[in-house]
Amino acid sequence: MTGARFTTLMLCLIAGGLVLSASRFRSSSHQDLIALDLIDLVNQEQTNLSLNPEGYNYCQAPRPTLETYPAPKVEGATLLHSQLFIRHGDRAPISVLPLDLDLTWECSNSSAYSFTGPGLGSTEKSPYHYANVVAHQVVTIPAGSPFASRLMWKGSCAPGQLTPVGALQHRKLGAALRQIYVDKLNFLPETYDPTTVHIRSTDVWRTKQSAENLMAGLYGVQGKFASSAPPVLQIHTLPVEVDYLTINAGACPRIAQLRAHIEKSSEVLKRLKDDNDDFSKQLTRILGTEKPWSGFMDTVLPRICHNKPLQCRVDGNVGSENNCITESIANRILDNVAIQTTEMYRDAQGVFDVLRLGMGPLSSDIKENLLAAKADGKVRLSFYSGHDTTILPLLGLFDAEDMRWPAYASNILVELWKTLHGEYFVRVLYNQAVLATKSNWCDLEWCPMDAFVAHLDRFIYQDSMAECQRQ
C-alpha cells in the first residue's frame, strides 16, 4: 500500500469518515479497504483531536493494545472471562439546530458497516462471496424535500447516526482485542463461535452498528478461511421500556424524584449554575436554543471531531468575538460537563440510591457472569454495546476517579482471572488503563473476586420494582 493512498484515507477520516470519491472508490478493491481497516490502521496513532492538555480526547477513547495491556499481577494466572462495555463510536449530533442546516454529514459508506465483509483471500471474486443476502440501511435526504431545507442538514446521516469514523473506531477496537484475546492469550477461539460470545445492545441503531463493527474487527478476518460461511451475529436487545443498559427512569419513577432532589439540593450544581449564568446565556444566544451542558457539548464537539467550522451567529448588535463558538468555549463546556457528571453520578448525596435503582439489574448481570465463569460456563466474552449513559453510571458504581464524559468508543473490561492456587481475582480496565478509584475500595488491578462481588451486592435490590414505586 502506497504512502499516498494511506495519506488520502487518513485525510478523509479526519474530515468526516471513510468517504471516498466515486472514482477513488471504484479504483480500490473491497479487499484493500478491509485489510486497511483491520490490519494497517489498528496500530496507527490516533488522530490528535484532543482539547485537553492532559490528553483527554472526546473524539476518540484509547483502546487496549499489545503494548499497553498489562500482564496479570500473579504469574501463571489464567483469564476465564471478560465483560466488555462500550460506548458507541463517533456519531452525528443528536439534534439539528438552525445553524446546522448548511452542514453535510455523510454516513452512507456501505463498506464501513458490513460485518459479512470482504474476505482477505486472494481468490475472492466478490466481497460477499459466501453471503446469500447482505443488507445495509442507507439514509437519503432528498434535496427537493419540502421539509429538509428547513429542518435537516445535508448528506446521508440521521440525527445520532453512527458515522463511518465511528464504525472504524470499533473495528479497530475489535481488531486490538483480537490481537490480545485470540493471538496472544488464546482466550477466545480463532474463528467465531457464537457459544463463546454473548452480545447485548440497546435497541438503538448506532449501538447495534457499533457492536457489529467491533465483531467485524474481532472476527471479520474469518473470510480468509476459504471454507468459512459468514458468521451470523445474534445481538440481544430489550424493549426500551424495560432496558437497563442505561438508567431507566421511565421504568423506575423514583429515579426521577431522586435526581430532581439532587439537582435542587446540591451546592456544587448551584455554584456551577451561578458561575456560568452569563456563559450559558451566551451559548443560548449563539446556538439559538437553551440546552443542558451535555446538550451544548453534543452540538459543538461533533464539529470539532470532524474539523467542521464552529458555529457563528450573524448579529450586527453583538461583536463577532462574542458571537462565535471557539475551542476555549468547547473546553469550558467540557469542564462544566465533568463537574456536573461527577456530582450526578458519584458524589452527590442521594446518588448511591440512584445507582442502586438504575444499575442494580446490570450489577446483577455482572455478578452472574462472574459466577457462571467460575463454574466453567461456556461464554467467555459478555459484550455490552451502549452509550455514554451506560459507561458513566458504571464509573460511578465503581467510584472511578476520572468521571469526565466518556469519549467515543470508550471501553470498560471486567476480567476474571484464576491463579495456579485456585484463587479468583477481578481486574477492571478503562480505556486501556487499570481503573483508579476515588475511595480505593479495592485495587482494581487485582481485586479478590469475593470483594468485588460484595461491592456489586451493595447495588442489587431483592425487589427493585417495589423500591422504584416507593415515594
Side-chain angles (χ1 to χ4, degrees):
M1 178 166 296
T2 67
R5 290 179 61 195
F6 177 77
T7 301
T8 300
L9 180 58
M10 289 306 293
L11 287 174
C12 291
L13 177 61
I14 295 169
L18 283 171
V19 183
L20 305 178
S21 68
S23 61
R24 175 81 176 87
F25 184 80
R26 282 194 297 270
S27 65
S28 298
S29 69
H30 288 274
Q31 193 170 313
D32 286 340
L33 285 174
I34 197 78
L36 185 62
D37 284 356
L38 299 182
I39 299 171
D40 295 339
L41 278 181
V42 69
N43 292 320
Q44 296 295 327
E45 292 185 4
Q46 296 158 7
T47 305
N48 182 19
L49 293 170
S50 174
L51 297 177
N52 191 295
E54 297 178 5
Y56 168 80
N57 183 351
Y58 176 90
C59 305
Q60 170 67 70
R63 65 182 67 87
T65 66
L66 288 174
E67 293 72 28
T68 62
Y69 183 76
K73 200 169 184 179
V74 174
E75 187 176 354
T78 302
L79 181 61
L80 298 182
H81 188 260
S82 180
Q83 300 182 63
L84 169 64
F85 302 85
I86 64 168
R87 182 191 179 188
H88 56 74
D90 176 271
R91 58 158 170 76
I94 291 292
S95 58
V96 184
L97 302 185
L99 292 182
D100 296 335
L101 299 182
D102 289 335
L103 288 182
T104 299
W105 291 97
E106 294 290 355
C107 294
S108 61
N109 184 279
S110 61
S111 70
Y113 301 109
S114 176
F115 179 70
T116 309
L120 295 180
S122 59
T123 61
E124 299 284 354
K125 294 181 179 180
S126 164
Y128 311 118
H129 183 69
Y130 299 110
N132 294 317
V133 176
V134 176
H136 170 60
Q137 182 176 339
V138 178
V139 172
T140 302
I141 304 173
S145 164
F147 308 115
S149 62
R150 297 180 63 86
L151 299 174
M152 185 55 58
W153 49 56
K154 299 176 177 62
S156 58
C157 289
Q161 185 178 347
L162 194 74
T163 67
V165 173
L168 180 59
Q169 286 173 330
H170 278 300
R171 286 198 184 193
K172 292 168 72 174
L173 176 57
L177 291 173
R178 180 179 179 86
Q179 289 182 331
I180 295 167
Y181 282 162
V182 178
D183 300 336
K184 180 179 180 179
L185 298 181
N186 295 315
F187 166 65
L188 292 176
E190 185 175 2
T191 58
Y192 177 62
D193 178 355
T195 66
T196 63
V197 181
H198 184 270
I199 308 169
R200 169 89 155 79
S201 175
T202 59
D203 194 12
V204 177
W205 194 10
R206 62 182 173 272
T207 56
K208 289 183 285 187
Q209 282 188 313
S210 293
E212 291 167 4
N213 277 276
L214 189 142
M215 292 301 294
L218 185 58
Y219 281 116
V221 294
Q222 185 157 319
K224 71 183 179 181
F225 299 100
S227 62
S228 299
V232 177
L233 296 182
Q234 287 192 353
I235 299 179
H236 298 265
T237 63
L238 287 176
V240 65
E241 291 82 2
V242 296
D243 202 356
Y244 52 86
L245 273 185
T246 61
I247 291 180
N248 193 337
C252 185
R254 181 159 169 74
I255 291 174
Q257 294 179 340
L258 291 168
R259 281 179 159 173
H261 177 72
I262 292 171
E263 290 171 354
K264 290 179 180 179
S265 61
S266 168
E267 289 298 323
V268 171
L269 297 182
K270 183 179 184 301
R271 187 165 59 251
L272 178 67
K273 183 178 185 301
D274 292 344
D275 291 347
N276 289 277
D277 186 56
D278 289 341
F279 181 51
S280 180
K281 290 177 181 176
Q282 178 190 2
L283 291 173
T284 299
R285 183 184 71 250
I286 295 173
L287 299 174
T289 184
E290 186 175 2
K291 294 269 188 182
W293 293 116
S294 59
F296 285 136
M297 175 185 68
D298 179 67
T299 193
V300 171
L301 267 293
R303 289 178 178 244
I304 289 177
C305 295
H306 286 260
N307 286 343
K308 294 182 183 294
L310 295 178
Q311 294 95 330
C312 270
R313 179 169 294 279
V314 178
D315 186 346
N317 297 321
V318 181
S320 60
E321 68 277 4
N322 295 318
N323 227 25
C324 291
I325 302 296
T326 64
E327 287 198 1
S328 63
I329 285 177
N331 266 319
R332 184 171 174 181
I333 293 172
L334 282 172
D335 288 342
N336 289 345
V337 167
I339 293 169
Q340 185 177 51
T341 55
T342 301
E343 184 72 357
M344 291 297 295
Y345 286 96
R346 192 190 69 188
D347 290 349
Q349 185 175 2
V351 165
F352 177 71
D353 290 329
V354 172
L355 292 175
R356 286 187 77 189
L357 291 170
M359 298 302 289
L362 188 57
S363 299
S364 182
D365 276 8
I366 296 171
K367 173 183 174 179
E368 293 305 315
N369 290 336
L370 292 172
L371 295 177
K374 184 179 178 181
D376 297 324
K378 289 184 177 180
V379 175
R380 295 211 157 196
L381 176 64
S382 299
F383 171 26
Y384 298 83
S385 182
H387 306 261
D388 36 26
T389 49
T390 302
I391 301 297
L392 269 173
L394 275 175
L395 294 177
L397 184 150
F398 292 140
D399 195 41
E401 189 175 271
D402 185 356
M403 292 295 296
R404 288 174 295 189
W405 199 270
Y408 289 137
S410 283
N411 50 94
I412 297 175
L413 289 170
V414 179
E415 298 179 330
L416 178 64
W417 291 79
K418 181 179 181 180
T419 69
L420 294 174
H421 299 291
E423 300 169 310
Y424 296 87
F425 292 87
V426 174
R427 181 169 71 176
V428 182
L429 305 178
Y430 176 48
N431 292 343
Q432 83 176 201
V434 172
L435 182 67
T437 64
K438 180 186 177 185
S439 59
N440 297 315
W441 60 270
C442 199
D443 176 8
L444 294 184
E445 182 183 7
W446 208 244
C447 180
M449 179 179 168
D450 289 345
F452 191 84
V453 169
H455 182 76
L456 293 175
D457 282 338
R458 298 175 63 226
F459 296 90
I460 301 174
Y461 278 114
Q462 293 301 314
D463 188 349
S464 295
M465 286 310 298
E467 292 295 328
C468 283
Q469 299 303 319
R470 190 163 66 87
Q471 300 298 308

